[in-house]
Amino acid sequence: MGLVRLKIRELAQEKGWTLKEVSDRSGVIYSTVRSYARRPAMTTVDFTAIHKLARTFEVTIEELVEILEE
């Protein structure tokens, strides 16, 4: 199974947003945003959350998700 990392922290910094602001703007629960931002690698993620986050940052899912290992 592959590992992925979400570039939430980097994209939030570019926009000048806190993780709480990302949560508020995206509608993704803060604990989920914080967890995704802190974890260096994950095997599973919620696709709906990824879609909302990508839309909030105005990027594609491919720009939000970094594939670490296939």
Side-chain angles (χ1 to χ4, degrees), residues 4-16:
V4 297
R5 182 180 79 82
L6 301 183
K7 301 176 190 174
I8 294 172
R9 238 181 241 292
E10 295 94 322
L11 293 169
Q13 282 182 330
E14 287 176 16
K15 298 271 189 186

Side-chain angles (χ1 to χ4, degrees), residues 4-42:
V4 297
R5 182 180 79 82
L6 301 183
K7 301 176 190 174
I8 294 172
R9 238 181 241 292
E10 295 94 322
L11 293 169
Q13 282 182 330
E14 287 176 16
K15 298 271 189 186
W17 297 344
T18 65
L19 295 180
K20 177 71 171 119
E21 287 175 299
V22 172
S23 172
D24 292 343
R25 291 170 183 265
S26 67
V28 177
I29 298 169
Y30 174 70
S31 61
T32 299
V33 172
R34 187 184 67 216
S35 174
Y36 285 174
R38 288 182 174 177
R39 295 177 71 188
M42 296 174 281

